[in-house]
Structures are given as structure tokens and as C-alpha cells.
Amino acid sequence: MPPPSHPGRGRRRPDLRALRAALPEPVRAVVTGYERHLGLERGLSVHTVRAYVGDAVSLLGFVVDGGDALAELDLARLRAWLAAQQTGGASRTTLARRAASARTFTAWAHRTGVLATDPGGRLAAPRAHRTLPGVLRAGQAGEVMQASAAGAAERDPVALRDRAIVELLYATGIRVSELCGLDVGGADFSRRVVTVLGKGGKERVVPFGVPAAEALDDWITEGRPKIVAETAGDGVEPALFLGVRGKRVDPRAVRRVVHDAVSAVPGALDMGPHGLRHSAATHLLEGGADLRSVQELLGHATLATTQLYTHVTVDRLKAIHDRAHPRA
């Protein structure tokens, strides 16, 4: 049976909340079960669950709106859904992610008896473009830290917080979600390490250096108490980093902090927390760290991901070859 025709479908991503609410009740129940599986059984982050469920809702809305029952979801309909995304302007990277998301859903639906077969197992998608992100040069990173320290010279509590955020992000290479999730007890100053909760609920310990320790100490002893004193009407938040209203700092605020700090350095690429993460990994490798150690620090499940995140210069590779290869 050929896939249903959906003229005009995919011009823009629909309101997924409205689309979910419009699904037939049995299909909504399937979505709810899938959401519970992702969050409770697999332990995925809130953002990852939202993305996976959003893709499932988009797929199911496409199928059901075409007059087909969920049980009739097959490879042809999966391909038609992806084609609609491509018509709507989705990039190769987005198509690859949505195809992977669809495969995750159909595999779960087959295991739980929702689908008689797993059509996603045969679904192919364009390979995502593996573009290397821009990074700061080591000298530029130092200038960013200096600019952040200069802003904190007046001992304003928010400026002290911002300096500690920038220093810690660059010192550790942790994700913005991991930084925002840190509690006060997560920083061990005696060993100079932070304990973060990464993707999939995996905990890891990441070290930081003296400059980050000094910035954190200034924030915890001077800046944070002032914000707590001004805002703690409903109790003290355990978060390490607080917003101006005394609640756990928001990732958007952290992105703004990093953008402002980087923009103070002439010629530096505009970037957010992820750019500092890339920069930290690159500078570790260029300084002689091995790839496996950087993988552990960044919390990557596979070495291939670490290789994508890092920029190993040709000169460094040549130097390693000259030192290590007997025929160099």
C-alpha cells in the first residue's frame, strides 16, 4: 500500500502540544507510555525525553491525520514522514536525528506489542554533516577569563557569580545542564573537583584548577550569601549557582553570561557554554592529554563523540608521529 499523500505538510513544525491533544485517546495513551518509558525506565533527561516524545507525536500525527490506524505504521509511512520534514526545510542533521528518534519509538512499540513488527529497523536517513565547532584559541580563552575577572573586581555578587560560571565551564568542560544542576555540596575544594550528573543519570567527577577554585570561593563566600540574604523568603536553594531571584540559575542566563564574556575579547568567535566545552577539550588535547582521558572528563559514551568535539591540529599529530613511529 503506497504512503498517504500530505500536500503542504512539513512547511513548519506544528504546535506539538496541540497535535498531541488532537490525537485519538488510544494513541495519546501510547505516547504517555512511551514518555514514561524514556523518563523512568531509561532515565533520560527532561530535554531528551521532550525531544523524543515530540518526534513521536509528529510522526503519529502524520500517520493518524492521513486516515491510517497506528497499527498500520510501516516503512513507507516512516519514509513519507521524513520526506515531509525534508520538504519543510529540515537539515540533514535534523533528518538524521528524527530518523533515529523514530527508530527508538518503533522499537519500543514493537517490544510492548503496540506494533506487530518494527518498521524502523529498516529506516535509513541521510548521514548528518559532522561539522567541527569553532573554538577559542588558548590566548583568547585567557583573555575571556581576564575580562570576567575584571568585571568581578567591584565584588558585585552577580559579577562574582558570572566569573565563577565562566571559569568553571572552561576549567571542566562540563555541559551547561550539568553546571546548572550542581548543588553547593557538589564542589569539593580540598580535592578541587566537582561531581556532576551527566546524560543518562551517570555521575562523574571532574577536576578544576586554581583559578576556578578562587573564583568559586569568592562566589560562595561573598556573592552567594548576598543573593541569598536578599531573596531567600521561601528558604535557601541548594543550587551552587543562583539567579538574581535566588532560584537555581537558568541555562539561558548561563548562555548570556558566556556570550557577554566572550564578546569582550576582540576577534573571538561568538559562542555559548558549548563553545567553552569544545575549547576546553581542544586545549586539553593540544596540551598533551590523551583522547580516553578527555572522553572521561567530558562524559562521552563513545570515543567517536570525543573525536568530533575536539580539534587535534595537524602539527600535533605530526609531532606525535615523529616521537612514536619507528619509521618517522
Side-chain angles (χ1 to χ4, degrees):
M1 176 179 177
S5 174
H6 299 275
R9 184 74 57 83
R11 296 298 180 189
R12 63 178 182 179
R13 195 167 177 86
D15 182 342
L16 292 176
R17 287 186 179 180
L19 185 57
R20 181 173 180 172
L23 292 172
E25 195 281 328
V27 180
R28 290 202 307 273
V30 169
V31 173
T32 300
Y34 180 55
E35 185 174 39
R36 187 180 302 114
H37 160 73
L38 295 172
L40 298 181
E41 296 178 26
R42 291 189 55 183
L44 300 180
S45 72
V46 173
H47 299 294
T48 302
V49 171
R50 186 181 300 122
Y52 275 43
V53 170
D55 288 334
V57 167
S58 173
L59 171 62
L60 295 175
F62 183 91
V63 173
V64 174
D65 191 42
D68 299 311
L70 172 58
E72 295 179 10
L73 176 60
D74 58 12
L75 183 59
R77 288 165 181 78
L78 286 173
R79 288 172 173 167
W81 173 68
L82 276 185
Q85 309 296 311
Q86 187 174 29
T87 301
S91 67
R92 287 166 62 95
T93 300
T94 299
L95 289 173
R97 182 189 64 78
R98 290 180 182 166
S101 183
R103 288 193 291 268
T104 299
F105 171 72
T106 59
W108 170 84
H110 177 50
R111 286 198 309 272
T112 55
V114 174
L115 296 177
T117 61
D118 178 11
R122 294 181 291 137
L123 178 65
R127 287 185 176 273
H129 287 299
R130 292 198 149 198
T131 55
L132 292 174
V135 298
L136 297 169
R137 296 192 300 273
Q140 289 177 325
E143 291 180 46
V144 170
M145 302 305 126
Q146 290 171 7
S148 184
E154 299 297 323
R155 319 309 284 178
D156 174 77
V158 174
L160 290 172
R161 180 205 67 183
D162 293 353
R163 179 197 173 199
I165 284 175
V166 173
E167 284 280 6
L168 190 62
L169 284 172
Y170 177 61
T172 60
I174 61 175
R175 303 175 178 92
V176 63
S177 59
E178 294 168 346
L179 178 127
C180 293
L182 280 171
D183 287 337
V184 174
D188 184 339
F189 285 91
S190 63
R191 295 191 299 152
R192 289 210 309 269
V193 297
V194 288
T195 302
V196 299
L197 195 63
K199 288 185 175 181
K202 295 180 180 178
E203 191 176 84
R204 72 183 189 282
V205 177
V206 187
F208 56 87
V210 173
E214 292 175 347
L216 278 171
D217 184 64
D218 287 345
W219 157 243
I220 290 175
T221 59
E222 294 184 49
R224 193 177 184 281
K226 291 179 182 177
I227 290 182
V228 169
E230 295 172 1
T231 61
D234 299 324
V236 179
E237 178 78 41
L240 176 60
F241 293 108
L242 303 175
V244 294
R245 293 183 175 85
K247 301 300 181 183
R248 187 178 297 274
V249 72
D250 185 90
R252 290 171 296 180
V254 175
R255 293 187 184 97
R256 192 161 51 246
V257 167
V258 174
H259 169 78
D260 291 345
V262 173
S263 64
V265 177
L269 291 171
D270 184 22
M271 63 178 58
H274 221 54
L276 284 186
R277 176 172 164 86
H278 297 320
S279 300
T282 301
H283 298 162
L284 279 167
L285 282 174
E286 291 178 343
D290 65 272
L291 206 56
R292 288 288 182 186
S293 297
V294 176
Q295 176 191 0
E296 181 69 22
L297 289 171
L298 296 180
H300 287 157
T302 65
L303 197 60
T305 306
T306 309
Q307 291 170 324
L308 174 63
Y309 269 63
T310 54
H311 299 223
V312 184
T313 64
V314 174
D315 288 343
R316 180 174 177 271
L317 288 175
K318 286 182 177 178
I320 291 174
H321 183 272
D322 290 342
R323 290 198 311 267
H325 199 285
R327 303 288 285 179

